[in-house]
Amino acid sequence: MVLGGSLGEASTLTLDEKERLVKSAVEVAGGRVPVILNIAEGSTREAILQAKLAKEWKAEGLMLLPPMQYKADERETVEYFKAVAQSTDLPIMVYNNPIEYRIEVTLAMFGKLKDCENIQAVKESTRDVTNVTRMINAFGDRFKVLCGVDTIAMEEMLLGSSGWIAGLVCAFPAETVAIYRLVRAGRIAEATTVYRWFMPLLEFDIRPKLVQYIKLAEERAGVGSEFVRAPRLALVGKEREAALTIIDTALANRPALGDYLSL
């Protein structure tokens, strides 16, 4: 369970709110799944502080972005990751999203990070599915690769990614898990049927207003609220109507999933 998504509303949360968020999630998870806090800070000092606090709050891992705001070069970015990794014993997943954050964590940079034992995974969000193959060719199973873009999740799992850091899972958890389990079980045709149904919804994940779209889908699916914190505003007018058409069409045609949890 990854909290504090950097493209989500984490930047609008106070430190006290982040503490409540993590502690509440840990309580709800009850040890069934690890709770991971995302760190997206502009300074090494603040990132190290967040890592320390995450451990105190009982988070079980960290997702870590390159420095925010300042576009660090390769040397600076590697040293940033190393400094945070050396400050904690929590496992770390590097978030590689150069489209949104301008800094790409390259194969060469991962090569310089491989000796940091607690840097264990990457959220692969370059939108280049061939990066899964490149990472595996370069490092074998040293780094777990998890897809971070909903619209290419099945493709990347078929290429060998270990999992999926999903967005629309917040509104449609069963379908998300079903695709993952079916792919892992080699039942590709069944997974493809669900994935094709899901795609119009998954495309919300790559829109600038993904938070508003996903929260609207959560409310429509009966598992959340479309409330967003300023400066974001809830969708209105034709934009909202178009989104509701996609969501309601999907809800009216949800595929039968069968006993996917036993796979």
Side-chain angles (χ1 to χ4, degrees):
M1 186 184 299
V2 182
L3 308 175
S6 45
L7 287 177
E9 294 181 280
S11 63
T12 69
L13 299 179
T14 66
L15 193 60
D16 287 343
E17 288 172 326
K18 286 185 179 180
E19 179 179 2
R20 288 166 53 198
L21 178 66
V22 174
K23 289 182 176 179
S24 297
V26 169
E27 181 179 354
V28 170
R32 291 172 295 173
V33 295
V35 172
I36 298 171
L37 177 64
N38 182 55
I39 295 179
E41 297 295 334
S43 75
T44 304
R45 179 188 60 199
E46 289 301 315
I48 289 173
L49 174 61
Q50 287 279 322
K52 177 179 179 291
L53 292 173
K55 181 71 178 285
E56 293 177 2
W57 299 337
K58 307 301 182 186
E60 297 172 82
L62 305 171
M63 186 165 75
L64 182 61
L65 277 95
M68 295 288 95
Q69 299 171 322
Y70 171 63
K71 189 179 184 298
D73 67 17
E74 178 175 322
R75 180 174 63 94
E76 292 169 325
T77 302
V78 168
E79 289 304 314
Y80 173 85
F81 284 136
K82 284 183 175 180
V84 179
Q86 290 164 1
S87 76
T88 182
D89 61 358
L90 290 176
I92 293 172
M93 173 168 54
V94 170
Y95 185 1
N96 191 14
N97 188 343
I99 291 176
E100 300 293 344
Y101 301 118
R102 303 184 301 153
I103 297 173
E104 180 174 4
V105 188
T106 63
L107 291 179
M109 293 162 76
F110 277 108
K112 295 174 182 177
L113 295 171
K114 66 182 180 181
D115 291 335
C116 297
E117 293 183 2
N118 59 332
I119 297 182
Q120 298 180 2
V122 56
K123 179 181 177 183
E124 167 51 48
S125 296
T126 64
R127 303 193 192 183
D128 181 351
V129 296
T130 62
N131 265 356
V132 175
T133 301
R134 292 191 182 100
M135 285 292 294
I136 293 171
N137 283 351
F139 304 109
D141 61 1
R142 169 61 185 85
F143 299 104
K144 299 296 184 184
V145 181
L146 293 95
C147 180
V149 182
D150 279 2
T151 54
I152 54 174
M154 185 169 165
E155 290 86 346
E156 291 205 349
M157 284 190 284
L158 289 170
L159 288 168
S161 69
S162 301
W164 177 6
I165 305 293
L168 270 295
V169 67
C170 298
F172 295 93
E175 288 82 2
T176 305
V177 175
I179 292 169
Y180 172 81
R181 294 284 185 97
L182 288 165
V183 170
R184 285 287 176 263
R187 291 162 59 170
I188 306 306
E190 293 168 78
T192 301
T193 296
V194 182
Y195 192 53
R196 286 176 177 165
W197 164 85
F198 213 173
M199 187 56 65
L201 295 163
L202 297 180
E203 289 176 342
F204 289 155
D205 185 55
I206 57 174
R207 298 187 184 188
K209 294 183 181 179
L210 75 163
V211 173
Q212 291 93 318
Y213 283 107
I214 293 173
K215 284 195 165 186
L216 180 59
E218 288 176 16
E219 179 164 274
R220 211 66 169 179
V223 294
S225 165
E226 69 173 310
F227 172 82
V228 289
R229 182 171 290 188
R232 288 180 176 86
L233 298 174
L235 301 175
V236 295
K238 292 183 178 179
E239 188 176 26
R240 190 173 190 275
E241 292 171 9
L244 286 174
T245 296
I246 293 170
I247 296 165
D248 291 344
T249 298
L251 286 170
N253 296 281
R254 291 180 97 160
L257 299 177
D259 186 19
Y260 65 92
L261 290 175
S262 65
L263 298 175

